[in-house]
Amino acid sequence: MPMEKDPFDRHFDNFTSLADLICETLQCPITIENANHQLIAYSSHSPQTDQARIATIVGRRVPEQVISALWRNGVIQKLMECEDPVRVEAVHDVGLGGRIAIAIRKHNEVLGYIWVMEENERLGPQELALLKRAAQASRHLMQQLQIQKRKEEEGQQNLFWQLLTGHLKSALAIKEQAKLFHISLPASFQVTVFQFEQEITESMLQRIQYMITTTQSVRIVLHVVDGVQLVLLTSRRDFRGASDPDKTMIGFIDEFMRQMRERFGIAPIDGACGGEYEDYTMVEKAWQEAVQVLELKRRFPDALREVHQHRDLGFYRYIPVMIHPDGTPLYTNSSLLKLQEYDREHNSCLLETLEVFLHHDSSLKDTADALHIHINTLNYRLKRITEIGGMDMKNMDHKVSLYLDLRLMKLSK
């Protein structure tokens, strides 16, 4: 394809004109995306185009299953590292045909991508060189878009902080502020918090924003960073035919952490969400609930390992209101103190035996197995517990109180 002049050596006012020129130059359909795979511009295509392209245009972003396939096949990783065009093999199970892709870069930072469908012939070295020039020519437009997006995000994050701290106290004020920042608030919401081991840096935030933008299992409306925590305003999407829509948030939390670990080598150590509300003056309460779940999971890692939602805490949600500000229980169970003192003097483990027994719903077999002792030994210990503590192990009220008090003792340590 002889070219007297570089067709991309000019100023472009918008991405649409750039996409049309790339399409005209290479004689191939084009899509231009930002770094988070949101569609910015696209050219025309033939009726035989693949499903991935159609879905991207209709949804204004690349489908999540296509992104996952590109990560699995190493395509995204290669694009992030390479300045030259990358040939992408077809992935038929997600409707993706063969493509050529190139990253739009500013030094080591990826600003976006150009995707080229080879409908007729494979692109040769000259066409690939022109594609590289097109990526360089689009850098200025992409930087302008990035600056505009950051200004919008600053306003949205300020609004989110006002909601999280209870500064906005009327539904009307919240609605007006959301409209000002072009935010469409869903009918219901949850606050989801991810806890990291270290303070979230700017480079970590870029990877987090990638995940926030590309995930499609839930809608992420707003986000802010609070030290080692990522705080999200989330809303469940309504998937028709979902077998259990109530598990959507749990699935999102698990998947978010897994994909962060696999794709970027960093991941939250845990995640949790508060209750689901329709009143946006309750955002502060939903945030406190999510943080409470994380704190209780830290205190009771074994019992709450699989818990991510505030509503699944069970009686653990009441524990914080049963202790003093310094963490000591409001009430001290004298029976448990007697067992504790006996264990200390006789180097025994009656208190532990009682806790395991109650945790296993008074099952002798399960308790004996958990403690690795014979049932006769367990029966002897239970008899001594009853004698020393003066408690009725057949009384459900007594057992519930004992279990709660045991949890409180552990919490105050």
Side-chain angles (χ1 to χ4, degrees), residues 132-413:
K132 190 170 181 178
R133 281 290 301 120
Q136 293 167 352
S138 64
R139 183 187 304 153
H140 178 65
L141 279 175
M142 198 65 79
Q143 286 177 286
Q144 288 181 319
L145 193 67
Q146 222 177 30
I147 292 170
Q148 178 185 350
K149 183 180 177 183
R150 282 172 181 166
K151 288 181 179 178
E152 290 178 355
E153 285 179 350
E154 286 176 5
Q156 292 173 356
Q157 288 172 359
N158 181 56
L159 170 59
F160 195 17
W161 274 121
Q162 291 184 69
L163 292 172
L164 289 169
T165 56
H167 182 74
L168 295 174
K169 300 186 182 300
S170 77
L172 180 60
I174 293 170
K175 187 176 180 180
E176 289 175 347
Q177 286 290 306
K179 185 177 180 181
L180 180 65
F181 294 112
H182 310 290
I183 300 168
S184 175
L185 296 175
S188 62
F189 69 89
Q190 290 174 282
V191 173
T192 304
V193 178
F194 287 100
Q195 178 95 23
F196 288 77
E197 281 187 320
Q198 63 190 59
E199 189 165 327
I200 298 171
T201 64
E202 184 61 32
S203 62
M204 288 172 63
L205 181 58
Q206 289 179 5
R207 288 162 172 75
I208 288 168
Q209 287 175 327
Y210 177 92
M211 293 295 302
I212 288 172
T213 308
T214 57
T215 188
Q216 295 171 34
S217 57
V218 301
R219 180 185 168 195
I220 300 176
V221 186
L222 296 167
H223 72 277
V224 293
V225 169
D226 185 23
V228 297
Q229 292 185 339
L230 169 68
V231 187
L232 308 175
L233 185 73
T234 53
S235 177
R236 293 184 300 167
R237 294 187 185 277
D238 182 17
F239 290 107
R240 293 182 180 179
S243 59
D244 190 351
D246 290 339
K247 292 184 178 179
T248 300
M249 288 307 304
I250 299 174
F252 161 68
I253 291 171
D254 287 336
E255 189 69 3
F256 185 93
M257 293 192 292
R258 182 188 66 79
Q259 289 186 350
M260 280 287 294
R261 186 180 304 106
E262 290 180 355
R263 294 176 179 180
F264 304 115
I266 55 172
I269 55 176
D270 215 336
C273 63
E276 189 171 13
Y277 297 97
E278 298 178 359
D279 181 358
Y280 278 83
T281 62
M282 303 293 285
V283 170
E284 181 181 16
K285 183 175 188 292
W287 182 31
Q288 292 170 348
E289 289 174 346
V291 171
Q292 183 185 76
V293 175
L294 290 173
E295 175 60 20
L296 288 169
K297 284 168 69 69
R298 185 184 68 82
R299 295 292 188 105
F300 304 103
D302 294 334
L304 300 179
R305 180 174 288 108
E306 304 301 323
V307 173
H308 289 306
Q309 300 190 96
H310 186 264
R311 68 175 192 177
D312 295 333
L313 283 173
F315 72 82
Y316 285 93
R317 77 184 70 176
Y318 305 116
I319 286 181
V321 299
M322 300 169 68
I323 58 176
H324 291 290
D326 64 359
T328 57
L330 293 173
Y331 167 76
T332 302
N333 190 305
S334 59
S335 296
L336 296 180
L337 290 179
K338 291 177 182 177
L339 291 178
Q340 192 176 52
E341 182 64 24
Y342 183 88
D343 283 341
R344 188 181 299 113
E345 292 178 356
H346 297 83
N347 195 28
S348 58
C349 52
L350 296 184
L351 201 63
E352 179 194 7
T353 300
L354 175 61
E355 182 178 7
V356 175
F357 178 67
L358 295 174
H359 179 73
H360 286 87
D361 197 21
S362 304
S363 167
L364 293 174
K365 181 181 183 306
D366 291 344
T367 304
D369 290 344
L371 293 171
H372 306 291
I373 59 175
H374 195 275
I375 286 183
N376 290 341
T377 304
L378 175 60
N379 279 320
Y380 172 77
R381 289 186 187 177
L382 292 174
K383 181 180 178 183
R384 294 294 294 146
I385 289 170
T386 301
E387 294 170 349
I388 296 167
M391 54 193 75
D392 184 358
M393 298 303 292
K394 295 181 180 180
N395 187 306
M396 180 57 72
D397 290 342
H398 283 199
K399 289 196 289 186
V400 170
S401 297
L402 287 168
Y403 193 61
L404 279 171
D405 290 334
L406 278 166
R407 298 287 90 185
L408 289 170
M409 286 179 67
K410 181 168 288 189
L411 188 66
S412 63
K413 288 182 179 179

Side-chain angles (χ1 to χ4, degrees), residues 18 34 37 62 71 87 99 112 187 198 324 331 341 412:
L18 174 61
N34 66 15
H37 306 296
V62 181
W71 275 99
R87 189 169 297 280
R99 279 164 169 68
Q198 63 190 59
H324 291 290
Y331 167 76
E341 182 64 24
S412 63

